Amino acid sequence: MVSIKDIAKKAGVSISTVSYALNGSPKVTEETSAKILAIAKELNYIPNAAARTLKKRNTKIIGAFLTDYSGPFFGQLLHGMRETLNLKDYDLIVCTGKESHRFLPEGIIDGAIVLDATFPDEELITYAERGHKLVVLDREIEHPNIERVLLDNKMGSELAVNFLIENGHDQIVFISGSPGSYDSEQRLHFVQELMENHPSVSYQIIMGDFDKPSGERAAQQIIENYTDPVAVFCFNDEMAIGMYNYLSSTDYIVGEHIHIIGFDDIEVSQYVHPRLSTIHYSKKDWGSKAAEQLIQLIKNEKTKPQEITVELIKGGSVGKLK
């Protein structure tokens, strides 16, 4: 690999002069700079990104740490992050798996946005203690170098449960999300709290996994024990779609026998029949707000926790009982 020493030797100048020229410093005359740049191009010189990072102390790259990045949910979230970061001259890379955690201590990225339940709090706090800037979307951590942007899970749970009860449903099944998920745990906590105020309503909890197969399994379990119309609050839309998939091969009708409400309002929710009732929020806005918070942290500007608002979208998947 060609180094600046090679360029300096061929140009007959010092290494520092080459460095100044490559970085556009006015300390070098235009004639000398043009000569050095021409030689660098001739030798196919590629700057050492790691060395430049050590010198400049920034990379202008942000890492988004996600458990997964496939599907409609993550696409909109990442779009919001990327769009906002690009406006601030930052680029975004998506990180998954434990090996990518070293990007922070090694200085490959300037900061991180985390939506990954497998990323331990203790590790995040360790990085924050070293001065790294972080924004979390799936937990609550108090630290000057960590900010949070969370969904209003309490309001979302209230909207979903009250909608079912207002429509006369007194048998409700809650399908929880992935084990260890902050959002799932929050929604489960709030619905159980709500149920204490409605003793006449019976409920059951089925453990899901925020994916279609767990929704299909939940649907199978529900119809095996079916006696009367039952309402189901799936903690995300993918599980709700899984229920639709399974029920489509049975005689049970969504909105008549099984009444379903989801959470997330992914795009496919408006195209299934009947239209899925769900809790809507802007995933793009969530990603954008997270990016804004992180940029502020990096600039050492004051920040405060943000909450993403939610609203109820009514669909034919929840019918009114007489």
Side-chain angles (χ1 to χ4, degrees):
M1 183 179 289
V2 176
S3 69
I4 61 174
K5 288 182 180 179
D6 300 316
I7 299 172
K9 184 177 180 180
K10 184 161 186 176
V13 297
S14 67
I15 291 174
S16 60
T17 299
V18 173
S19 180
Y20 286 138
L22 294 176
N23 286 289
S25 173
K27 294 181 179 181
V28 182
T29 65
E30 288 186 15
E31 183 181 353
T32 303
S33 180
K35 178 184 177 182
I36 290 170
L37 292 174
I39 292 172
K41 184 176 181 180
E42 178 190 336
L43 297 177
N44 292 316
Y45 169 72
I46 299 173
N48 187 320
R52 292 182 68 184
T53 296
L54 287 171
K55 186 175 180 180
K56 292 185 175 182
R57 307 301 297 174
N58 64 71
T59 64
K60 304 296 282 186
I61 299 172
I62 297 301
F65 289 83
L66 308 174
T67 312
D68 188 13
Y69 53 87
S70 60
F73 171 86
F74 290 104
Q76 292 182 53
L77 186 75
L78 289 168
H79 179 59
M81 292 181 196
R82 181 180 60 80
E83 190 175 77
T84 298
L85 289 170
N86 288 169
L87 288 173
K88 303 290 185 180
D89 296 322
Y90 280 83
D91 284 325
L92 177 72
I93 59 171
V94 181
C95 312
T96 60
K98 190 168 179 59
E99 283 302 311
S100 64
H101 292 193
R102 62 186 173 84
F103 291 174
L104 274 166
E106 290 182 6
I108 296 172
I109 55 178
D110 292 345
I113 299 171
V114 181
L115 180 58
D116 182 353
T118 67
F119 208 136
D121 285 3
E122 298 75 17
E123 190 176 350
L124 292 174
I125 292 170
T126 298
Y127 294 144
E129 287 291 330
R130 295 174 183 168
H132 298 292
K133 310 298 185 179
L134 310 162
V135 170
V136 293
L137 310 184
D138 59 355
R139 67 197 77 194
E140 298 176 54
I141 302 177
E142 297 291 341
H143 192 284
N145 289 328
I146 301 177
E147 194 51 273
R148 59 182 182 268
V149 184
L150 305 176
L151 289 177
D152 191 347
N153 285 305
K154 183 178 184 191
M155 177 58 72
S157 300
E158 288 179 357
L159 288 170
V161 171
N162 290 338
F163 180 57
L164 296 177
I165 292 174
E166 287 165 6
N167 277 281
H169 296 281
D170 58 5
Q171 292 187 63
I172 302 178
V173 177
F174 300 113
I175 314 297
S176 69
S178 304
S181 161
Y182 172 84
D183 287 319
S184 178
E185 290 175 354
Q186 286 281 294
R187 289 165 203 172
L188 185 58
H189 167 74
F190 289 126
V191 297
Q192 289 178 303
E193 201 173 65
L194 285 163
M195 288 297 94
E196 292 177 7
N197 299 323
H198 298 280
S200 62
V201 178
S202 62
Y203 73 94
Q204 175 191 0
I205 298 166
I206 295 178
M207 305 304 290
D209 202 19
F210 276 156
D211 60 10
K212 292 189 192 76
S214 61
E216 293 171 358
R217 292 191 296 271
Q220 180 181 14
Q221 185 175 335
I222 288 169
I223 64 172
E224 283 175 355
N225 300 295
Y226 181 89
T227 54
D228 296 300
V230 60
V232 184
F233 175 19
C234 294
F235 286 5
N236 83 338
D237 285 355
E238 284 209 47
M239 293 191 296
I241 299 303
M243 293 195 72
Y244 271 73
N245 291 346
Y246 187 86
L247 293 170
S248 66
S249 63
T250 73
D251 294 328
Y252 294 90
I253 300 171
V254 174
E256 182 177 333
H257 303 107
I258 312 294
H259 301 258
I260 306 172
I261 184 168
F263 201 117
D264 286 339
D265 192 24
I266 59 176
E267 188 175 7
V268 70
S269 301
Q270 60 187 292
Y271 298 118
V272 294
H273 183 75
R275 204 268 193 228
L276 177 65
S277 297
T278 187
I279 302 301
H280 168 83
Y281 59 91
S282 172
K283 288 157 281 297
K284 181 181 175 184
D285 187 46
W286 195 12
S288 179
K289 275 189 167 59
E292 289 174 359
Q293 291 284 79
L294 186 54
I295 296 299
Q296 287 180 291
L297 278 177
I298 291 171
K299 292 181 177 180
N300 293 314
E301 296 175 356
K302 188 172 182 178
T303 63
K304 64 179 181 179
Q306 299 284 319
E307 195 166 60
I308 302 300
T309 58
V310 300
E311 62 179 310
L312 172 67
I313 301 293
K314 298 179 181 180
S317 64
V318 174
K320 194 174 186 69
L321 296 189
K322 295 180 180 178

